[in-house]
Amino acid sequence: NAGVTQTPKFQVLKTGQSMTLQCAQDMNHEYMSWYRQDPGMGLRLIHYSVGAGITDQGEVPNGYNVSRSTTEDFPLRLLSAAPSQTSVYFCASSLAGAGYEQYFGPGTRLTVT
Amino acid sequence: AQSVSQHNHHVILSEAASLELGCNYSYGGTVNLFWYVQYPGQHLQLLLKYFSGDPLVKGIKGFEAEFIKSKFSFNLRKPSVQWSDTAEYFCAVTVTMDSSYKLIFGSGTRLLVRP
């Protein structure tokens, strides 16, 4: 099992550019989520999905889109990058929901200039 | 609004010292409680969890946490820390928010253990 994988590991964008952060899991987990980690603020939930075809917003969804067409994949799209989106992004999955152990990916460090 | 507070942002200890990291949450309903750890250069992993039953839960690497419902607290403890415990520790709570079930993290505590 590869667990939760994320690509890329590092990314630099210019303001206004768009990109997609990839996340995949091979554990057949129904629940997947995206967090951003900023110094002194911990992890904040961006979007989450309770299964294929179902997504919902977290605490800080503005500027991000998600979709869940398969159980395995949960990409995060930045539509028009802003410097405020400079952060480390973590994808996580769990068997059945937020109340279960979350398995985290290695993270993507994004810098927006 | 529901929140999770970790009051100690940075903690520095010598090896063999005892550790207690505070975690308080503001939510009156049923909660599931977690502590996650992020070692330098690694991704987050579960340290321990509380769902129900005995309020004193034991996790990996000698860590334990006590759920005190009346104080809305879930403090993490370890009797004797090691240099390898240097990491960032996050408390997390599942809450119902906007009619859905979400996992909310605290801001984290950076622990540095000096050899």
Side-chain angles (χ1 to χ4, degrees), chain A residues 6-70:
Chain A
Q6 290 182 239
T7 56
K9 278 192 166 182
F10 301 94
Q11 183 70 50
V12 179
L13 291 178
K14 294 189 188 308
T15 298
Q17 288 184 315
S18 63
M19 81 158 294
T20 299
L21 307 185
Q22 301 292 345
C23 173
Q25 52 89 11
D26 61 359
M27 297 175 282
N28 203 31
H29 284 172
E30 289 296 325
Y31 184 89
M32 296 185 75
S33 56
W34 276 101
Y35 288 87
R36 58 178 289 174
Q37 183 182 24
D38 301 293
M41 303 188 76
L43 283 84
R44 290 181 292 168
L45 181 64
I46 305 172
H47 285 286
Y48 66 98
S49 168
V50 297
I54 306 169
T55 64
D56 204 350
Q57 296 181 350
E59 302 171 84
V60 289
N62 292 342
Y64 308 95
N65 272 1
V66 292
S67 60
R68 185 97 178 269
S69 56
T70 66

Side-chain angles (χ1 to χ4, degrees), chain A residues 31 35 37-38 40-45 48 56-59 90 97-107, chain B residues 9 32 34 36 38 42-46 49 51 88 90 94 97-98 100-108 110:
Chain A
Y31 184 89
Y35 288 87
Q37 183 182 24
D38 301 293
M41 303 188 76
L43 283 84
R44 290 181 292 168
L45 181 64
Y48 66 98
D56 204 350
Q57 296 181 350
E59 302 171 84
F90 288 99
Y100 293 79
E101 177 180 357
Q102 304 295 311
Y103 292 83
F104 285 85
Chain B
H9 297 295
N32 291 343
F34 305 83
Y36 283 85
Q38 187 176 28
Q42 298 186 26
H43 51 87
L44 282 89
Q45 55 188 285
L46 182 68
K49 62 190 176 191
F51 289 172
E88 189 160 16
F90 295 93
T94 49
M97 185 186 294
D98 300 327
S100 56
Y101 204 42
K102 297 177 182 174
L103 181 64
I104 305 299
F105 281 82
S107 57
R110 283 186 185 271

Side-chain angles (χ1 to χ4, degrees), chain B residues 2 36 39 49 57 63 67-68 71 76 82 89 109 113:
Chain B
Q2 291 101 348
Y36 283 85
Y39 296 104
K49 62 190 176 191
V57 292
F63 286 90
F67 170 51
I68 303 179
K71 295 186 178 180
L76 181 71
Q82 300 172 307
Y89 293 82
T109 298
V113 179

Side-chain angles (χ1 to χ4, degrees), chain B residues 66-100:
Chain B
E66 185 175 14
F67 170 51
I68 303 179
K69 190 174 181 179
S70 60
K71 295 186 178 180
F72 299 91
S73 70
F74 190 55
N75 291 355
L76 181 71
R77 300 195 292 246
K78 186 170 184 179
S80 175
V81 295
Q82 300 172 307
W83 175 79
S84 57
D85 293 325
T86 294
E88 189 160 16
Y89 293 82
F90 295 93
C91 181
V93 181
T94 49
V95 299
T96 301
M97 185 186 294
D98 300 327
S99 303
S100 56

